[in-house]
Amino acid sequence: MPSQRHKGSAVATSSPSPTEDALLDAASECVLAVGVRRTTMSDVARRAGVSRMTLYRCFPDAATLWSSLLTREVETATERAEQRASDHVTARERLVEAVVRTVEELTRNPLLPRILEVDPELLLPYVTDRFGESQRFVLARTEQYLAEGRRDGSIRIGDPTAMAYWMVAIATSYVTSIRIIEQEADPTSVLGELRVLLDAYLRTDW
């Protein structure tokens, strides 16, 4: 797969090939239709119009397929969010806006809410046990913003790894709690509170 380097980033990521993208699109359609656990590799190959051998050449097993799909969706959401945040002046403002917009993108993407609806246990390890590849991508981007914020004087001094982990954990909590938030509160208002919380946390004058 070709290597893609994000603008202003030292984080290199692998961009799916056109064939892989088509397979991931088919996998996403299957998940939206019946969920992850009820989708087989044969279902994905059939929906994509390719042989199982072609699918297995790109993704050797179901775990790799689902991980790649989730990673693609998170990276795409992050890239869109960073574009929307790029006009802000300071690194703190860009970071806060990028995190909030990433959360917004992910909760509006039908894939994650669908997984939370029918297969929530598949996401539980990424909340309770370990960070996945997609979360580590966001973690690395967050640490870069923190470094930029220290250089421009907009972000306070602190342990960058601990600060980045905290911010990603907070964002993950919002995304995985979206069904509760939609039932109990106004999601837009809660996002606004997330923005206030993150900005206050990063300021140099607290």
Side-chain angles (χ1 to χ4, degrees), residues 124-189:
L124 185 61
Y126 304 119
V127 178
T128 61
D129 294 334
R130 65 184 184 277
F131 272 2
E133 182 179 345
S134 57
Q135 288 165 302
R136 293 196 178 280
F137 168 79
V138 177
L139 187 70
R141 295 296 296 125
T142 302
E143 288 194 61
Q144 287 187 324
Y145 278 109
L146 292 172
E148 292 169 11
R150 288 195 179 86
R151 288 194 294 270
D152 71 14
S154 64
I155 293 177
R156 66 179 177 84
I157 300 298
D159 181 339
T161 300
M163 293 172 72
Y165 267 100
W166 181 85
M167 294 184 71
V168 174
I170 290 294
T172 300
S173 176
Y174 184 100
V175 171
T176 55
S177 301
I178 186 59
R179 297 187 71 206
I180 298 174
I181 292 171
E182 288 176 339
Q183 294 173 29
E184 302 292 339
D186 174 17
T188 301
S189 295

Side-chain angles (χ1 to χ4, degrees), residues 82-115:
E82 289 183 337
Q83 290 173 359
R84 295 171 69 182
S86 62
D87 290 339
H88 288 270
V89 176
T90 69
R92 187 191 75 249
E93 292 169 330
R94 290 194 298 275
L95 173 54
V96 170
E97 191 66 17
V99 172
V100 171
R101 294 301 184 183
T102 297
V103 168
E104 184 179 47
E105 289 272 353
L106 289 174
T107 53
R108 289 183 176 179
N109 181 327
L111 184 66
L112 281 178
R114 179 60 170 164
I115 295 174

